[in-house]
Amino acid sequence: MRALVFDAPGGLVRLRLLLLALGTFAVGTDGMVTAGILPLVARDLNVSISVAGQMVTVFALAYGILAPVLATATARWPRRHALLTGLAVFTAANALTALAPSYGALLGTRVLAAVGAALYTPTASAVATSLVPPERRGRAIAVVMGGLTVATALGVPLGTWIGRTDWRLTMWLVTGLGAAAFAGLAVLLRELPQPAAALALRERLAPLADRRVVGAAATTFLIFVAFQTTYIYYTVATYPATGGSQDRLTLLLLVSGIAAVAGSQLGGRLVDAWGPRVVVLSALAAYVAVAAAAPWTLRTMPTALAASVVTPVIGWALAVAQITRITSIAPANAPVLVSLSSSATYLGMAAAGGTGSLALELFGDRWFLLVGAGIAVLALGVAGVTTAHGVPLDGRHQGRVRVGVREDSSQPRG
C-alpha cells in the first residue's frame, strides 16, 4: 500500500488514482457482465438469447472503431474535460440502458456507453501519468488499469448476483459506480497539465503498414473472437452445470475472475522467462485443447469449475504475451501500438457476438462451443506464421515503425 503513496500530498494522489481505477472498474464491469445476465435480458425484452447477445457486439464494435477517432478528435481538449465528459456520457448511457423499454433502444444506449468508455479509458491512463513523477508512471497506470482486472474478478460476479432476478439492477450498479467516480474526480481532480501534441489519425494508423504489426493485431483479433464466441454465451454454455441457478453461475464467474488475475501475473513471469513468441504459441495450443473439450467439461459443476480456472489462466497469460509481442516490435511507439491492439481486441469481441449467435443457431447450445475452438486453431496458425520471422524469442526487438513521414525511434508520441 505504501508504494501507492507518492510525493506529498501522497494521500491525495493515491485517492485520485483509486478514483480513476473506480471508473475503469465500472467500464470493465459494464463490458463483461453481460455474460451473466443475457438470459434475463432476452426474456424481459422478448428476444432470443443470440439476438440479445448483439448488445455486446454493438458496444465492442463502437468502442473498437471510435477509440482512435475520439483520441484524435479530443487531443487538444483539457484532460480533465475529456475525462469527465467520457465518464458522464458512460454513466448516463448505462442509466438509459437500465430504463430501455425495447431492444432497439437498448442497442442505442450500448453504442452511447461505448462512446463514453472509449473516451474515458485512454484518458484515465494519460491523466494517471501526469499525477506522478516519470519514474513512477508505470505503477500509476497499473493502479488505474487494475480496475479492469478487478472488474473481471469482482465486478462481473457481483453484477451477476445483483441482477439474478432483474438485469436492470446490474445496469444501475454500473451507473452508480460511474456516478461515484465522476463525483470524486470532479471534486478532487482540478489542475492538470495541458496534453502534449498528439498524433493525427493518419499517424496513429501508420504502423499498420508494418506486416509484423498487422500479424500481431490479426492474432489478437482472432484470439478474442475465439474466446468471446464462448464467453458472451457463457450462461447458455454452462446451463447443464448450473441448472439455471444464478448462484452457481456467480460462483463460476467468481472463480474465473480470480483465475484471470492469476493468469495475468503468470503471463508476465512466463514472458520474462521465455519471450512472447513461445508464450503466445504455447498458450494458444493449450487454449485449443481446453476449448475443444468444453462441450464435455461444461456439463457438470465440478468440471465446469475446473474449466473456469484453467481457461482464464491461459487466456490472460496469452493477453499479456500479445501486448508484449506488439510493443516489442517498436518500443518507442508503444502507446500507438497498444491503442491498435486495443481496437483489435474490441473488434474481435464485436465479431464474436455474430459468430457466437450464428454458431448457437446452427449447432445448438452444446456444440457451438467447438466453433470457438476452430477459430482458436486459426489464431494459432496466424500466430505461427507471423512470428516465424521478425520479433526474436526474447521480445527485445529494437525495430522501428514508420510514423508519419519519418521514423521515430526516440520518445513515445502517442
Side-chain angles (χ1 to χ4, degrees):
M1 299 293 287
R2 177 65 184 170
L4 297 181
V5 180
F6 302 116
D7 299 326
L12 179 59
V13 171
R14 178 171 173 266
L15 181 57
R16 287 171 171 174
L17 291 174
L18 291 176
L19 286 170
L20 290 170
L22 179 60
T24 57
F25 175 75
V27 171
T29 300
D30 185 42
M32 294 179 286
V33 77
T34 306
I37 60 173
L38 208 55
L40 297 174
V41 175
R43 190 180 309 122
D44 183 40
L45 299 181
N46 197 29
V47 296
S48 68
I49 290 179
S50 59
V51 170
Q54 301 315 300
M55 64 187 288
V56 179
T57 300
V58 297
F59 179 92
L61 183 62
Y63 189 112
I65 292 174
L66 292 174
V69 175
L70 288 173
T72 302
T74 62
R76 298 184 184 278
W77 287 19
R79 282 178 174 165
R80 182 176 184 272
H81 180 59
L83 188 77
L84 294 179
T85 298
L87 201 50
V89 171
F90 171 80
T91 302
N94 274 282
L96 291 174
T97 297
L99 296 170
S102 65
Y103 177 69
L106 177 72
L107 293 184
T109 65
R110 300 321 296 150
V111 172
L112 189 61
V115 171
L119 180 56
Y120 174 79
T121 305
T123 306
S125 295
V127 168
T129 64
S130 71
L131 296 176
V132 298
E135 67 273 13
R136 299 186 180 182
R137 288 175 178 171
R139 277 175 284 178
I141 292 176
V143 172
V144 174
M145 299 313 294
L148 297 176
T149 306
V150 177
T152 304
L154 181 61
V156 173
L158 176 63
T160 299
W161 184 80
I162 287 177
R164 63 192 184 281
T165 57
D166 185 354
W167 65 273
R168 296 177 190 272
L169 295 177
T170 300
M171 307 317 299
W172 283 120
L173 169 66
V174 176
T175 301
L177 292 171
F182 178 90
L185 291 171
V187 172
L188 297 176
L189 202 64
R190 291 294 183 181
E191 298 298 326
L192 290 173
Q194 284 292 107
L199 293 174
L201 181 59
R202 180 178 179 183
E203 291 175 308
R204 289 181 181 273
L205 299 179
L208 292 176
D210 189 313
R211 287 180 293 179
R212 296 168 300 167
V213 174
V214 174
T219 303
T220 296
F221 172 80
L222 290 171
I223 287 170
F224 276 87
V225 174
F227 182 78
Q228 293 290 331
T229 291
T230 296
Y231 186 76
I232 292 172
Y233 301 101
Y234 189 71
T235 305
V236 176
T238 58
Y239 185 85
T242 65
S245 167
Q246 287 295 107
D247 290 337
R248 288 190 173 191
L249 177 63
T250 299
L251 176 60
L252 290 178
L253 292 171
L254 178 61
V255 169
S256 179
I258 294 171
V261 176
S264 65
Q265 296 297 316
L266 176 63
R269 292 178 180 272
L270 292 179
V271 168
D272 287 342
W274 298 344
R277 181 174 188 266
V278 173
V279 178
V280 167
L281 296 180
S282 300
L284 264 174
Y287 181 73
V288 169
V290 171
W296 293 270
T297 58
L298 298 183
R299 305 296 288 181
T300 68
M301 198 63 186
T303 54
L305 282 168
S308 295
V309 172
V310 175
T311 303
V313 166
I314 294 172
W316 280 81
L318 180 58
V320 170
Q322 271 295 108
I323 293 175
T324 306
R325 172 191 172 190
I326 196 168
T327 56
S328 296
I329 295 172
N333 292 305
V336 177
L337 297 176
V338 170
S339 70
L340 291 174
S341 180
S342 179
S343 289
T345 296
Y346 277 92
L347 291 175
M349 292 172 61
T355 58
S357 174
L358 182 61
L360 199 58
E361 294 293 332
L362 292 177
F363 305 114
D365 57 8
R366 180 177 185 179
W367 302 110
F368 87 97
L369 295 165
L370 293 179
V371 174
I375 297 172
V377 171
L378 180 59
L380 178 59
V382 171
V385 170
T386 57
T387 61
H389 303 286
V391 181
L393 293 182
D394 65 1
R396 294 188 291 272
H397 188 70
Q398 297 300 320
R400 295 176 293 178
V401 173
R402 190 168 180 81
V403 178
V405 295
R406 64 184 183 89
E407 288 187 311
D408 184 350
S409 59
S410 56
Q411 299 295 323
R413 301 170 57 203

